[in-house]
């Protein structure tokens, strides 16, 4: 395993997040010598592991993620192992032949961050760190605080004072994090760490830490394994800091290189219109990202104007024929209503995927005969404010008004006869 600069290629020391040239870091593995059949058998056999690190849907793939890490450093809550659903109401809503929803929202802290955080935090422990940190819109901080508490370590987090979900803030605090609220956005928090992280002696677990990306690759490994190593035509994913799409691309390239899949699916990256600097760059065929200083969307997890991983994301999407699009807050909430109402549920950022599929079908980029998997990144309870924001607030048809005396007849009168 080697850590190099994504920009200049220079090899790096272990604990760095950024090369001297300012470039992001990347981990590369030498997979030579790995026996494909043996690997597939191992990944299958580990599905029946219980209470060992290999019962995790991340560490099941340790050989492809962090082969050198001694097991004693692993901090796991058996993350991954999330549901893959074929939700008919959503499929009908989109009018598409086949749709899968991969619910990373079912992770232990309620978001896809756990896939990456277990690896970053475990690696930091192996380096001797006891104090872990991040800047966050709330999900990264909740995940970090949960794993740090499990490892009996400290967590220190920077969270903007506005435009974040109160649920995520409270969850982070409940796990014992020390929190600094500040005026600004996630982007300002990252800039602070790039300047001061080392001097503060903190181990930073944002996605500028390349071990986060290694862990997040497991999402697509697990998706591929669940579908017997045959991926759908499209994978659709939301984009904020762009760590998830970067990890998706890296994981897909690993699987192709190893011969575990025989073609790359197309990837669609969806941003919220009010925070879409990456989509604007891609749509305008530009090569350089122009940061947005005041990103603003109901999908608060994606209130990001200067995504650190944009170069990696751009290179993957361009090389693989991927696309980007943006959707409005209204479109996000309409899609969220469908996803919640079919019993799966998600937070607004995740719903942008289904909204994006709808738009890409309308634009004829996705054909209705193609197969699609959407990555649902965060849990419905992560943002309860957004539940009151549906255009039509009657989600399941709430019984408005009083039923008077509570009798079966009175309730039935309000409900009507069963369908
Ligand atoms: C629930 C949720 N969905 C989507 C995103 C966007 O993912 P990324 O920042 O990796 O692009 C985030 C935050 O990062 C998130 O918390
Ligand atoms: N939505 C994220 C912001 C991106 O953070 P990172 O972990 O990819 O650096 C959050 O939950 O903080």
């Amino acid at each position: 395993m080697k850590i190099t600069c994504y920009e200049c290629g220079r090899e790096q020391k272990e604990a760095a997040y950024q090369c001297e040239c300012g470039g992001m870091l990347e981990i590369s593995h030498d997979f030579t010598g790995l026996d494909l059949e043996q690997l597939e058998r191992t990944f299958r056999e580990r599905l029946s592991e219980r209470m060992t690190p290999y019962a995790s849907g991340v560490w099941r793939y340790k050989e492809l993620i962090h082969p050198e890490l001694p097991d004693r450093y692993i901090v796991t809550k058996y993350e991954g192992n999330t549901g893959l659903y074929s939700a008919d109401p959503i499929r009908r809503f989109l009018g598409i032949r086949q749709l899968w929803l991969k619910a990373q929202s079912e992770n232990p802290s309620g978001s896809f961050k756990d896939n990456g955080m277990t690896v970053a935090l475990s690696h930091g422990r192996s380096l001797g760190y006891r104090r872990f940190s991040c800047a966050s819109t709330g999900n990264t901080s909740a995940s970090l605080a949960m794993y740090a508490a499990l490892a009996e370590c400290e967590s220190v987090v920077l969270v903007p004072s506005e435009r974040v979900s109160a649920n995520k803030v409270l969850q982070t605090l409940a796990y014992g994090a020390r929190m600094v609220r500040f005026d600004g956005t996630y982007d300002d928090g990252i800039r602070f760490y790039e300047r001061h992280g080392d001097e503060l002696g903190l181990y930073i677990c944002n996605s500028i830490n390349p071990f986060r990306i290694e862990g997040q690759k497991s999402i697509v490994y697990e998706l591929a394994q669940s579908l017997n190593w045959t991926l759908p035509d499209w994978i659709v994913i939301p984009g904020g800091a762009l760590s998830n799409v970067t990890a998706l691309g890296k994981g897909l390239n690993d699987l192709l290189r190893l011969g575990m899949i025989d073609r790359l699916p197309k990837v669609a990256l969806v941003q919220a219109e009010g925070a879409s600097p990456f989509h604007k760059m891609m749509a305008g065929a530009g090569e350089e990202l122009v940061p947005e200083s005041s990103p603003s969307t109901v999908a608060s997890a994606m209130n990001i104007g200067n995504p650190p991983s944009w170069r990696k994301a751009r290179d993957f999407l361009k090389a693989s024929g991927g696309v980007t699009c943006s959707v409005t807050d209204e479109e996000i909430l309409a899609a969220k209503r469908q996803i919640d109402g079919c019993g799966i549920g998600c937070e607004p950022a995740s719903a942008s995927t289904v909204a994006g599929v709808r738009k890409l079908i309308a634009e004829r980029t996705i054909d209705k005969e193609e197969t699609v998997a959407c990555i649902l990144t965060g849990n419905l309870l992560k943002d309860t404010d957004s539940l009151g924001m549906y255009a039509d607030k009657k989600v399941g048809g709430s019984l408005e008004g009083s039923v008077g005396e509570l009798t079966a007849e009175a309730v039935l009168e309000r409900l009507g006869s069963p369908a």
Side-chain angles (χ1 to χ4, degrees):
M1 192 178 78
K2 266 197 328 200
I3 308 179
T4 51
C5 171
Y6 187 72
E7 296 301 314
C8 72
R10 202 175 323 159
E11 209 164 326
Q12 306 288 316
K13 69 178 167 101
E14 283 257 36
Y17 316 100
Q18 201 182 28
C19 176
E20 273 171 28
C21 78
M24 286 193 95
L25 305 187
E26 183 168 64
I27 290 171
S28 55
H29 300 278
D30 179 5
F31 291 148
T32 47
L34 286 181
D35 173 346
L36 183 60
E37 278 179 24
Q38 175 61 47
L39 213 51
E40 275 187 18
R41 205 172 320 119
T42 304
F43 295 161
R44 193 170 48 249
E45 284 167 5
R46 285 181 185 158
L47 288 172
S48 54
E49 289 273 345
R50 292 283 177 274
M51 297 177 76
T52 77
Y54 299 99
S56 151
V58 175
W59 296 104
R60 183 189 315 149
Y61 309 104
K62 184 168 188 273
E63 289 76 1
L64 311 184
I65 288 175
H66 200 334
E68 292 153 24
L69 185 75
D71 287 1
R72 68 178 180 280
Y73 292 115
I74 294 179
V75 188
T76 179
K77 219 175 164 195
Y78 312 114
E79 51 291 310
N81 295 312
T82 57
L84 181 64
Y85 302 101
S86 153
D88 253 16
I90 312 290
R91 190 184 57 70
R92 287 197 298 272
F93 171 68
L94 296 170
I96 198 166
R97 181 163 66 88
Q98 169 92 71
L99 175 83
W100 297 103
L101 299 177
K102 175 71 174 153
Q104 292 316 108
S105 42
E106 293 174 354
N107 260 326
S109 83
S111 85
F112 77 96
K113 304 291 179 173
D114 296 346
N115 290 72
M117 197 58 74
T118 178
V119 179
L121 199 122
S122 301
H123 182 73
R125 278 184 86 216
S126 78
L127 300 176
Y129 283 90
R130 306 278 313 155
R131 186 176 269 183
F132 296 88
S133 194
C134 70
S136 180
T137 60
N139 280 334
T140 300
S141 60
S143 182
L144 175 95
M146 180 186 79
Y147 285 104
L150 270 180
E152 298 185 55
C153 290
E154 265 184 82
S155 55
V156 179
V157 303
L158 302 186
V159 176
S161 29
E162 284 181 0
R163 295 192 196 156
V164 293
S165 153
N167 306 61
K168 296 177 188 179
V169 169
L170 293 173
Q171 183 189 12
T172 303
L173 290 170
Y175 288 130
R178 285 195 284 166
M179 185 179 288
V180 179
R181 308 293 302 266
F182 65 98
D183 285 338
T185 63
Y186 160 88
D187 309 303
D188 300 308
I190 289 290
R191 203 168 318 122
F192 175 84
Y193 278 140
E194 282 170 352
R195 289 196 193 128
H196 304 293
D198 280 347
E199 109 200 31
L200 292 171
L202 301 167
Y203 189 69
I204 295 160
C205 293
N206 278 106
S207 53
I208 53 173
N209 181 326
F211 287 93
R212 274 276 309 280
I213 304 293
E214 289 311 289
Q216 287 172 207
K217 293 188 311 186
S218 61
I219 299 171
V220 76
Y221 297 162
E222 195 173 80
L223 176 66
Q225 188 178 16
S226 311
L227 296 174
N228 214 9
W229 307 105
T230 305
L231 286 165
D233 297 312
W234 287 90
I235 301 180
V236 184
I237 192 162
L242 303 174
S243 75
N244 215 7
V245 69
T246 296
L248 175 68
K250 198 160 187 281
L252 284 172
N253 281 323
D254 288 351
L255 295 179
L256 192 66
R257 188 150 63 99
L258 284 159
M260 297 183 102
I261 56 171
D262 50 24
R263 64 174 179 92
L264 287 182
K266 287 169 278 186
V267 171
L269 184 277
V270 188
Q271 293 206 293
E273 215 167 83
S276 53
F278 184 71
H279 167 63
K280 287 187 188 114
M281 176 189 80
M282 297 291 277
E287 282 291 311
E288 288 294 314
L289 183 122
V290 180
E292 285 177 6
S293 54
S294 304
S296 177
T297 163
V298 67
S300 60
M302 304 203 291
N303 259 330
I304 294 171
N306 192 9
S309 294
W310 68 268
R311 288 188 177 82
K312 294 181 181 180
R314 174 199 63 192
D315 295 352
F316 166 69
L317 289 172
K318 285 199 169 170
S320 64
V323 301
T324 65
C325 74
S326 68
V327 289
T328 63
D329 282 358
E330 289 69 31
E331 289 166 331
I332 289 173
L333 290 173
K336 178 173 153 52
R337 177 183 167 156
Q338 298 293 326
I339 300 167
D340 294 349
C342 79
I344 296 170
C346 66
E347 66 167 281
S350 317
S352 67
T353 54
V354 167
V357 175
R358 199 169 193 211
K359 188 160 186 180
L360 292 168
I361 290 174
E363 287 172 359
R364 297 182 187 279
T365 304
I366 296 181
D367 189 288
K368 286 185 173 182
E369 285 306 307
E370 289 184 299
T371 57
V372 178
C374 292
I375 311 293
L376 299 186
T377 45
N379 191 285
L380 179 147
L381 292 174
K382 283 284 193 174
D383 182 348
T384 47
D385 282 349
S386 69
L387 294 175
M389 292 182 196
Y390 296 116
D392 166 0
K393 290 187 183 163
K394 285 191 221 161
V395 180
S398 59
L399 290 181
E400 276 162 18
S402 132
V403 290
E405 195 185 338
L406 192 62
T407 63
E409 287 76 20
V411 173
L412 202 58
E413 199 182 309
R414 309 296 300 213
L415 284 175
S417 306

